[in-house]
Amino acid sequence: MARDRRYIAYLFIALLLLGFFSARSTVVSFSWNIAEGKGLDAAAPDFIPGLPVDINSAGLDDLKTLPRIGDAIAERILLKRRELGRFRSKEELLLVKGIGEKTFNEISPFVKAEDAR
């Protein structure tokens, strides 16, 4: 019985801490991977919020700092930018194969499309 109460207390504290960190301006993505037994781990790459990536001037490494963006999608973003000349808005990222609504919603706060002219 006491063991169950401790477990509930630890779970409550963990949820409070997760709520605290998710409410802060710093964005950290966590994943719970029970199947592989890894538990709670930081899944987001290192990224400094408040410094949006300009998708019209960013290089491959800059794009890979965005959540859910790896080598393949970063290269597709660069190809689409070359094809379009420039992105007129960040919503044009939806034209990139592999970026759907879910991915766009996750990276949207961290990107901007500045006019390079």
Side-chain angles (χ1 to χ4, degrees), residues 61-109:
D61 291 332
D62 297 324
L63 293 170
K64 289 179 0 182
T65 64
L66 297 169
R68 301 179 54 97
I69 302 297
D71 290 325
I73 294 179
E75 289 176 17
R76 288 188 211 131
I77 292 171
L78 295 176
L79 289 172
K80 183 57 76 174
R81 183 173 72 195
R82 194 172 311 138
E83 177 185 315
L84 296 173
R86 68 180 181 86
F87 290 101
R88 287 168 183 73
S89 70
K90 62 184 177 180
E91 285 77 16
E92 286 185 338
L93 284 173
L94 290 166
L95 300 173
V96 176
K97 182 181 176 185
I99 298 182
E101 291 285 329
K102 182 178 178 181
T103 302
F104 177 75
N105 289 336
E106 287 188 38
I107 66 174
S108 181

